[in-house]
Amino acid sequence: MYSTNYTYADSQIFDDTTFAEALKAGTSAIQTFRTALQQGRAVLTERFLESHNASEAVMQHAWLVDQVLRQAWKQVQWPDTQNVALVAVGGYGRGELHPHSDVDIMILLSSPATDELKRCIEQFIMFLWDIRLEVGHSARTLVDCMHEAANDITVITTLMESRLLVGPKNLYRDMQACVSRARVWPSRDFFAAKLQE
């Protein structure tokens, strides 16, 4: 599993204070988010054209999207913040995001979603599309994670390459334990399945 302590900071790409001020200024939230993404990506493009450092560019792009997602999460009035988390998965979970790649996320739930929580999830995903952030998303309980990971090598791979973005650390750690290779895919079986894949 990838560390949840993936850190990076660059106020030229995204500045929390400037962003908070823009939200308070009365401009629509959607426009404020779109502008932040556009400005951050413009900085990344300029830097890449100067340095041609692709590794740095994809890492910095992942960091920019991390900030945007964390801010977007705050736009929703989640009914129970102790039982829901936002997790980056797949390549994005590794902290790498190419310029035109989908942003793969999972909304992790401790138990099946109530109707209210389902509405919040829909609101969150719609907001991400409104700000022009193309996301690949799923919403899974811990039990869902365990069952789907046991049945599909691609699911376990994306969950192994994950990072907690927002939410309770203990919920994320429970997910890690549920899908650990020792529990779901022993190393020999995992390696054989990856070769076949």
Side-chain angles (χ1 to χ4, degrees):
M1 301 284 180
Y2 286 76
S3 170
T4 58
N5 296 323
Y6 167 75
T7 56
Y8 180 80
D10 191 323
S11 60
Q12 288 185 332
I13 299 172
F14 185 92
D15 183 83
D16 284 327
T17 304
T18 303
F19 183 81
E21 289 172 355
L23 277 179
K24 288 178 185 175
T27 308
S28 79
I30 289 172
Q31 189 55 53
T32 301
F33 275 82
R34 285 181 183 175
T35 300
L37 274 170
Q38 290 167 353
Q39 290 176 343
R41 286 171 170 165
V43 171
L44 293 176
T45 299
E46 185 178 342
R47 288 182 182 179
F48 176 72
L49 292 175
E50 290 175 1
S51 70
H52 301 286
N53 187 332
S55 296
E56 188 174 86
V58 296
M59 183 180 71
Q60 291 176 346
H61 188 216
W63 180 83
L64 167 63
V65 172
D66 286 357
Q67 309 320 302
V68 170
L69 284 172
R70 287 183 178 121
Q71 293 292 338
W73 189 261
K74 296 176 186 176
Q75 301 299 304
V76 177
Q77 297 296 316
W78 298 96
D80 185 359
T81 56
Q82 292 308 303
N83 292 301
V84 60
L86 179 62
V87 178
V89 296
Y92 175 49
R94 287 195 305 269
E96 300 172 352
L97 187 62
H98 289 84
H100 301 290
S101 293
D102 284 355
V103 178
D104 291 327
I105 57 172
M106 177 180 68
I107 297 173
L108 179 62
L109 311 168
S110 63
S111 58
T114 62
D115 288 342
E116 183 182 8
L117 185 51
K118 286 177 185 176
R119 284 191 294 274
C120 288
I121 292 169
E122 289 172 7
Q123 180 187 349
F124 178 66
I125 298 302
M126 286 176 60
F127 185 79
L128 298 183
W129 283 102
D130 285 344
I131 65 173
R132 299 186 181 140
L133 196 62
E134 295 185 15
V135 294
H137 65 280
S138 61
R140 294 185 176 123
T141 65
L142 293 171
V143 172
D144 293 336
C145 289
M146 186 168 61
H147 288 163
E148 292 184 39
N151 293 322
D152 190 334
I153 191 73
T154 59
V155 173
I156 182 92
T157 304
T158 61
L159 295 180
M160 287 170 59
E161 300 173 330
S162 67
R163 290 180 295 118
L164 177 66
L165 295 174
V166 182
K169 291 179 181 178
N170 63 319
L171 178 58
Y172 178 71
R173 283 194 292 265
D174 288 346
M175 185 277 290
Q176 289 180 305
C178 285
V179 301
S180 68
R181 275 191 279 178
R183 187 169 184 172
V184 179
W185 284 84
S187 294
R188 183 171 292 183
D189 294 345
F190 180 80
F191 182 69
K194 290 304 285 183
L195 276 177
Q196 186 175 0
E197 184 188 25

